[in-house]
Amino acid sequence: MTVGAAGEYAKYRAAAADTGSFDAVGLPVDGYYDELVNDSGRLRPLWAELSAEFLEQGRDGLHALDARVRRRIEDDGITYTDLGGDANEPAAPRPWRLDPIPLLLDAADWQGLEAGVVQRSRLLDALLADVYGPRRTLTAGLLPPQVVFGCRGYVRAAHGISLPGRHQLFLHACDISRRSDGGFRVLADWAQAPSGAGYALADRRVVSAAIPAAFELASPLPLNPFMRAMRLMLVEAAPPAAAEEPVVVVLSPGPHSETAFDQAYLASVLGFPLVENADLVVRDGRLWMRSLGTLKQVDVVLRRVDAEFSDPLDLRPDSRLGVVGLVEVLRRGAVTVVNTLGSGLLESPALAAFLPELSRALLDQDLILPSVETYWGGDDSQHTKLLADLPRLILRSTVDDATVFGSLLTRPQLDEWRDRITAEGWKWVGQEPARFSVAPAVAGSGELAAAPVAVRLFSLAGRVGYRVMAGGLGQLHQRTGPDGMIGEATAKDVWVRAAPAAVPATEIPEEHERRAPVLPTLDVISSPRVLNDLFWMGRYAERAEAAVRLLGATHDRYQDYRYRPWMEGAEAMPILIAALGHMTGTTPPPPRKTPPQPDSTGPSPDGVAADPYPAGQQQNSSDQRQSEGDLSQSQGSSGQTQGSGGQSQSQSSGGQSQSQGSGGQWQSQGTPSPELSAAARRREFSDQPTVPIALPGASRRDHGYLVSLTVDRELPGSLAFAIERYGKAARAVRDQLSPDTWMILGAIDRALSEYRGARRDRGAALSAVHSRALAALLSLSGIDAESTVRDTGWHVMDIGRRLERGLALSSLLAAALTDSYPDPVTRVVTEAVLQASVSAVSYRRRHGDSVRVAALAGLLLFDAGNPRSLAYQLERLEADFLALPAASGSSRPQRLLTDAQRMLRRVDPADLEVTDSAGCRTELAELLDGVHLRLRKISESFETTRLSVPREIQPLWGSTRVVE
């Protein structure tokens, strides 16, 4: 071991002694177990061969390792949603926290843990079957009635409902920690809707990719066999009357759930659709999944919604997460729900006090894995112990989720709680604070640290017994506050280094896996809710691409004319800025006036009128802060004006800079000399206050507008806004998407964040953002085009893309080309439009250096062979509509589409160049306005007829409790 590694090792041992000598509430204990070293201070054999991979890396090496893990988490989009914030505002998901150093378990430890978890699962399974069946444990006095019927997790409506097969507890999880003697204790059991298995799989994926050499050297037992077994057991859990190929779904509370990623990732690994209550409906005593124009019967539900919220008819009436009538379908035996309703009873903290006796009575075995010491206040002897040790116990309610730390109570408060426990002792249990072993971890600075650690293990009901996941979800705790209590946790991958030759008795026979029925190929993304999210993913992806392409083209011209306003065509800048505003539905900065006059904003301290649009700041008007990202409404309003009055929005928003007279002819303001323009331009972009000189071309306010349209997440129409909304829609259907999607979104987020941190050469930084964002968006398009199955969901997403591309193109052309300009300005505007439309090369190959509106219209409007043309978008829309289930060819969206195609066919491209007396190309304006309006109506009609989802569930009556 090197000198540097020895120093880090010494720091680790000191930190381990400091944190391991206290329990979960900060009270001192008599000793602790160190996962890394033994009592003599030597590395445990399990860690000896891996020390070079972790302990000897030094601060820089560990910091780099931690950075690789964090980067991988961002690329995979692994998140966790903390619901502790504002209840009225959905919490934003934050990146998952994973320590790069795994927790190692040797074969001997794992053998004991596996046997203990299997036994505990069997015990809880037997108890669950008895409580909702014959109730012999109650009649024999093994379990007090108050513990059962007073528990919030007990569901009276579930009595008599049983699952097919031998087991009533399908999935069980338990949190385990190690004491100073090396033995394990169970801190809590999870049976309501156990979470964390998806996170465990994601952690293994991240760590194995971040440290492949160490992973290969350790060769931990894989986790995938557990997931394959879960998939098979879910299929086998179908009711006897189910079809030969049963339909299985994963029921989620929604994308705002704490563990939304865990649910979606688990569903994607299992290959079953992730559904919400809006996707399910009860009809004729059966459970159905809504599909596009039809219903599919559901046979098995893997439930991640708490039981009391599962059915607002028979359970909690104010629930907005459940399926009305689900309990009745369960009573009929027409569907299987796992874990079964009522399994939350097994999470009662009071049960821990009775499990040793129940194990002897139900299994005729002593409990292998004991729980932490627990004292129930309803038992006389335990009641006395609870009152005597209250200052050091954790007080937990058996009827709700209340928790009180005795160590934090004052003397008067202790007396008050003793009185409450004496009066209603059955409602409370006292538990000894958890004690943890300590394990190596990486601190934020890259130093080797020591922290308390626990593990969540998972077991699954099989055909014979229970199978335990060979690993689990490690929980690395941190001590927070001056009292040293355990606070936030960081995940750890758990590596079980055991010989794979020994096959557990609970293993599902390999012959059975070979005989498993071939599962059906289901159109699992045909739910209207899912299709609606995919539709908007297509729209936001295309909206972001259209915005960044035009931003890039405009910024290129801005850089050209920033210091050289005398260059030919500089007057095109206000036109391009106005086109950006028109296409994105935002308000661009007004053109500068000559000379600037003081206004109501008052003079600046230097006596110069204040600039209403400082650099980097965008007007905060109410029409910009739209609540929904559908900008086609604002885009289309200008199109209607064009059709009626013959004036485009580019005239109204940019007319002052163009200096059009009443006759509509271009009137040049005159071009100042290069010397004067350069000096004035330097003053314009300098930080020194001065009276600005009105010049054509770029301005600081234009630059601020470009910045806002790029990085302002709160500005509808901006690139960042579209990416944000795309991410929200994608998270709602995460189980349907490629993992590469999150890597791409992470790249865009990093590009936007890096620009905000740029200090010098902001122009180059902004160009870099545009380039990186465009590259990422092209990657998304590539995934959709080359890696996505052409099912209903793909066609719906493509409909969104084609509609948005058609809307953006018609809006851009209407803003940029319906007015006539001098030839130099027309050339600059045309080149920018071609660049934004990815058609510049094709245009030059066909038409050389000539600039004609008819030629450009022929390429961008009528050429069906150009993937960027309007005609191509309409053809693709027609094909996508026909590919949808139950397509009639005569629906309202299809009729509107036919109307738009007819409008294009009736136009002669040469007529589009004709201008009226005001200099407006009326024929072009009316064509673009008409097509744009029909595309908007197609979108509206398609959403309301094919993508409509049921309204949010309302309470059936009253509201007995507030949903937290």
Side-chain angles (χ1 to χ4, degrees), residues 846 858-873 875-876:
R846 294 184 182 184
L859 179 63
L860 294 183
L861 293 181
F862 307 110
D863 188 352
N866 179 12
R868 292 284 167 173
S869 73
L870 191 56
Y872 183 87
Q873 311 316 313
E875 286 189 2
R876 286 292 298 268

Side-chain angles (χ1 to χ4, degrees), residues 6 154 167 218 260 301 392 427 526 636 681 760:
Y154 175 75
H167 303 290
V301 177
R392 64 180 184 85
K427 292 184 177 181
S526 57
R681 186 62 55 181
R760 296 182 178 178

Side-chain angles (χ1 to χ4, degrees), residues 644-910:
S644 59
Q647 300 293 324
S648 70
Q649 184 180 2
S650 62
Q651 288 177 301
S652 60
S653 63
Q656 295 175 1
S657 64
Q658 297 170 5
S659 300
Q660 285 181 284
S662 58
Q665 300 300 317
W666 186 270
Q667 299 176 359
S668 175
Q669 296 176 333
T671 304
S673 67
E675 295 79 6
L676 176 60
S677 298
R681 186 62 55 181
R682 284 193 293 271
R683 292 196 297 271
E684 167 72 11
F685 282 87
S686 70
D687 295 327
Q688 300 299 322
T690 183
V691 178
I693 298 175
L695 297 172
S699 71
R700 291 187 64 186
R701 291 174 293 179
D702 294 339
H703 182 264
Y705 180 58
L706 296 178
V707 171
S708 295
L709 276 181
T710 302
V711 300
D712 188 351
R713 297 179 183 274
E714 302 299 324
L715 177 63
S718 72
L719 168 65
F721 183 91
I723 294 299
E724 185 80 10
R725 291 304 179 93
Y726 180 93
K728 288 183 178 180
R731 284 192 290 271
V733 291
R734 182 188 291 268
D735 61 307
Q736 312 292 342
L737 305 179
S738 165
D740 296 336
T741 303
W742 314 107
M743 177 174 59
I744 298 169
L745 289 178
I748 300 178
D749 287 337
R750 284 191 293 271
L752 295 173
S753 299
E754 288 174 9
Y755 174 80
R756 297 186 184 99
R759 292 291 181 266
R760 296 182 178 178
D761 201 355
R762 301 293 289 264
L766 190 61
S767 295
V769 171
H770 295 158
S771 298
R772 293 171 61 184
L774 180 58
L777 290 168
L778 291 176
S779 298
L780 283 178
S781 297
I783 291 177
D784 295 339
E786 302 295 335
S787 303
T788 306
V789 176
R790 265 49 170 179
D791 53 15
T792 302
W794 183 89
H795 286 290
V796 169
M797 185 162 55
D798 196 56
I799 287 173
R801 275 189 173 274
R802 301 304 157 186
L803 284 172
E804 192 66 36
R805 186 173 292 182
L807 287 167
L809 179 61
S810 59
S811 179
L812 172 60
L813 296 181
L817 299 180
T818 52
D819 291 327
S820 59
Y821 315 113
D823 289 343
V825 177
T826 300
R827 180 176 297 278
V828 174
V829 172
T830 302
E831 289 175 352
V833 169
L834 287 170
Q835 180 181 341
S837 304
V838 204
S839 300
V841 174
S842 299
Y843 184 89
R844 283 195 294 269
R845 289 176 62 187
R846 294 184 182 184
H847 306 288
D849 199 40
S850 67
V851 176
R852 291 190 57 194
V853 172
L856 188 142
L859 179 63
L860 294 183
L861 293 181
F862 307 110
D863 188 352
N866 179 12
R868 292 284 167 173
S869 73
L870 191 56
Y872 183 87
Q873 311 316 313
L874 298 184
E875 286 189 2
R876 286 292 298 268
L877 280 172
E878 182 179 21
D880 286 331
F881 280 129
L882 290 175
L884 297 181
S888 63
S890 60
S891 64
R892 187 165 187 267
Q894 289 170 296
R895 293 197 305 271
L896 289 167
L897 178 60
T898 301
D899 215 13
Q901 291 173 315
R902 189 180 300 116
M903 289 185 67
L904 280 183
R905 287 194 294 267
R906 289 176 177 174
V907 174
D908 184 349

Side-chain angles (χ1 to χ4, degrees), residues 120-134:
R120 198 175 185 92
S121 299
R122 291 177 53 223
L123 173 60
L124 295 179
D125 174 59
L127 180 60
L128 185 65
D130 179 75
V131 168
Y132 290 99

Side-chain angles (χ1 to χ4, degrees), residues 229-545:
M230 180 183 291
R231 179 183 175 86
L232 292 172
M233 289 300 98
L234 282 169
V235 173
E236 288 205 352
E244 183 178 354
E245 299 175 338
V247 175
V248 184
V249 299
V250 180
L251 179 59
S252 165
H256 299 300
S257 169
E258 281 184 293
T259 57
F261 172 85
D262 179 71
Q263 301 156 21
Y265 194 79
L266 183 64
S268 64
V269 171
L270 294 174
F272 299 132
L274 184 73
V275 300
E276 300 176 22
N277 63 330
D279 303 322
L280 303 177
V281 64
V282 172
R283 295 282 189 275
D284 302 325
R286 298 179 181 179
L287 183 65
W288 305 85
M289 179 173 62
R290 289 185 171 93
S291 186
L292 198 62
T294 184
L295 296 173
K296 293 181 180 179
Q297 184 174 344
V298 175
D299 302 299
V300 181
V301 177
L302 177 59
R303 176 176 62 87
R304 292 297 297 269
V305 176
D306 285 353
E308 63 176 329
F309 294 98
S310 298
D311 185 351
L313 183 62
D314 283 287
L315 299 174
R316 184 162 171 167
D318 59 350
S319 170
R320 290 173 169 81
L321 302 176
V323 182
V324 176
L326 180 61
V327 172
E328 178 60 27
V329 180
L330 278 168
R331 291 196 184 103
R332 293 170 180 254
V335 71
T336 299
V337 176
V338 292
N339 278 342
T340 182
L341 300 183
S343 55
L345 167 68
L346 302 179
E347 296 181 1
S348 171
L351 279 181
F354 301 94
L355 287 182
E357 186 176 354
L358 287 170
S359 179
R360 289 186 287 270
L362 297 178
L363 303 181
D364 195 24
Q365 297 176 354
D366 290 330
L367 200 60
I368 299 176
L369 273 181
S371 305
V372 292
E373 293 81 353
T374 304
Y375 313 106
W376 179 54
D379 179 85
D380 291 340
S381 60
Q382 296 182 45
H383 177 89
T384 303
K385 181 70 172 175
L386 193 161
L387 293 180
D389 296 344
L390 184 59
R392 64 180 184 85
L393 297 179
I394 299 176
L395 199 61
R396 302 187 189 277
S397 172
T398 63
V399 297
D400 55 32
D401 298 327
T403 300
V404 179
F405 295 95
S407 61
L408 301 181
L409 298 177
T410 62
R411 185 176 297 276
Q413 289 173 332
L414 286 170
D415 294 338
E416 180 182 348
W417 274 104
R418 287 191 177 100
D419 293 340
R420 292 182 61 177
I421 295 171
T422 300
E424 294 181 313
W426 66 274
K427 292 184 177 181
W428 300 95
V429 298
Q431 288 186 334
E432 297 281 351
R435 300 182 183 182
F436 300 97
S437 60
V438 295
V442 177
S445 59
E447 294 182 346
L448 183 65
V453 66
V455 182
R456 178 169 295 182
L457 300 179
F458 302 89
S459 66
L460 170 72
R463 301 182 72 193
V464 178
Y466 280 86
R467 173 179 187 150
V468 182
M469 178 188 284
L473 180 62
Q475 303 166 348
L476 190 69
H477 296 279
Q478 296 176 350
R479 296 194 182 276
T480 59
D483 49 22
M485 294 185 64
I486 293 295
E488 298 179 349
T490 300
K492 257 186 179 296
D493 191 16
V494 180
W495 291 3
V496 177
R497 303 191 66 190
V503 180
T506 56
E507 178 82 28
I508 297 176
E510 188 174 332
E511 302 80 28
H512 170 69
E513 294 192 16
R514 288 200 296 266
R515 294 197 305 267
V518 178
L519 298 180
T521 302
L522 299 175
D523 187 8
V524 296
I525 55 175
S526 57
S527 158
R529 175 193 61 83
V530 174
L531 293 178
N532 187 68
D533 285 320
L534 291 172
F535 173 77
W536 278 103
M537 281 178 60
R539 291 202 63 174
Y540 280 122
E542 190 62 34
R543 185 172 298 176
E545 184 178 338

